[in-house]
Amino acid sequence: MKQLQLSDSLYKYLLQVSLREDPILLALREETAKLPLAMMQIAPEQGQFMQLLLKILGAKKVLELGTFTGYSALAMSLVLPDDGELITCDLNPTWQSISKPYWERANQQHKIKQRMGPALESLYALLNEGYDQQFDFIFIDADKTNYMQYYELALKLIRPTGLIAIDNVLWGGKVIDDTCIDAQTREIRKLNEHIHNDARVDISLLGIADGLFLIRKKGNY
C-alpha cells in the first residue's frame, strides 16, 4: 500500500493522538506561524520524531544546519542530557530575537550554541576544531544549493554509530516536476540520487512532512 494521503481532518487526528508537545515548543510554533516564512519551520510531529531518534541513539552531541526561529533546535535540546551540546548554524541573525527567549524559558540556553555565518564555513571550522566523528546526530535543513557539500562534510563529522537526517528532500513534489530547473531543486535531485547510490551508507527516506532522508554510515567506512 502506498502512503496514505492525509486530509486536514486526518492530520489533525494524527496530532491529537500522537503529539506530546512541550508548552514552550507550542508557544514558539504559534509565534512562528505568524511570520511570512512560517513554512520554513519543521512540522511538530517531525520534531517529536527526531526527539525519539535522539533518545534511541542516547545522543549527547547534535549539529543542526539551519536554525530559523529555533523550534527544531529547542525540540532536540529538550531531550539531550544536561551536559549535552547542540551546535546550530545559521546565516540570518534576525531570527535570534525570537529563538533565544524561548530557549531561555525552557532552560536550554546552556546546551545550545549558535554559530552565525555561512554553514559551510562553520562546518570546516568544526573539523579544524577537532569535531570530526564527534556528533551523534546531524540535522541538515539549511540552503538547498549546498546540500551535496553539507552531506559530505556531515559524513566526516558524524560518529560511526550516528545518524544524519536531511530535510525537504521531496521539496514539495518539485523533485519529480521536469519543469522545475532552479538551482535548489536540481541540487536536491542530485543529492537524492547520490545518496541512493552511495555504498558507504545505509538509508531510509521517510514521507514525513516534506521528506526526511535518514543516513547511517556502514561499519567499514
Side-chain angles (χ1 to χ4, degrees):
M1 178 181 179
K2 296 180 181 178
Q3 183 171 330
L4 181 66
Q5 295 297 312
L6 294 179
S7 63
D8 289 344
S9 57
L10 188 55
Y11 178 65
K12 182 178 179 180
Y13 174 79
L14 180 152
L15 296 182
Q16 178 185 328
V17 300
S18 70
L19 188 62
R20 298 174 177 175
E21 191 174 29
D22 185 283
I24 299 177
L25 272 177
L26 173 59
L28 175 54
R29 179 162 63 92
E30 289 176 340
E31 179 168 350
T32 303
K34 301 173 186 176
L35 301 175
L37 296 176
M39 76 291 295
M40 289 173 54
Q41 181 176 268
I42 66 168
E45 70 274 16
Q46 180 179 339
Q48 184 167 290
F49 175 66
M50 294 195 302
Q51 287 180 323
L52 181 60
L53 292 177
L54 296 186
K55 290 179 180 180
I56 293 170
L57 290 168
K60 290 190 68 174
K61 286 190 176 183
V62 173
L63 174 62
E64 175 185 66
L65 306 183
T67 313
F68 190 36
T69 59
Y71 182 93
S72 53
L74 179 55
M76 292 188 288
S77 179
L78 283 168
V79 298
L80 294 181
D82 196 58
D83 61 346
E85 178 183 28
L86 189 151
I87 296 176
T88 184
C89 307
D90 206 278
L91 185 63
N92 190 339
T94 303
W95 310 120
Q96 287 182 318
S97 62
I98 297 176
S99 61
K100 287 193 172 181
Y102 285 94
W103 296 348
E104 291 170 0
R105 280 175 56 186
N107 297 315
Q108 299 299 306
Q109 69 276 11
H110 64 290
K111 300 181 194 175
I112 304 174
K113 301 172 183 177
Q114 188 164 18
R115 298 197 177 204
M116 301 306 301
L120 283 177
E121 292 181 9
S122 295
L123 291 175
Y124 283 117
L126 287 169
L127 286 170
N128 290 333
E129 294 167 21
Y131 276 93
D132 53 300
Q133 297 190 52
Q134 292 299 304
F135 291 99
D136 302 297
F137 187 81
I138 298 177
F139 179 48
I140 300 175
D141 189 22
D143 59 294
K144 315 310 174 192
T145 52
N146 285 310
Y147 258 24
M148 279 289 293
Q149 294 182 79
Y150 294 154
Y151 171 68
E152 290 297 332
L153 290 169
L155 288 175
K156 297 178 184 293
L157 290 161
I158 198 72
R159 287 184 185 276
T161 57
L163 194 65
I164 299 169
I166 307 178
D167 202 18
N168 302 120
V169 292
L170 296 182
W171 204 224
K174 292 180 182 179
V175 287
I176 60 169
D177 186 345
D178 293 338
T179 66
C180 293
I181 56 172
D182 61 279
Q184 295 191 95
T185 305
R186 291 200 310 268
E187 188 73 1
I188 294 172
R189 288 191 191 115
K190 180 180 176 182
L191 175 68
N192 289 342
E193 188 66 23
H194 178 68
I195 293 174
H196 180 238
N197 294 316
D198 192 347
R200 300 170 296 175
V201 296
D202 293 312
I203 63 173
S204 181
L205 199 166
L206 304 180
I208 188 172
D210 194 25
L212 188 69
F213 230 141
L214 300 181
I215 301 106
R216 185 178 186 271
K217 284 195 295 188
K218 293 181 179 178
N220 54 333
Y221 286 99

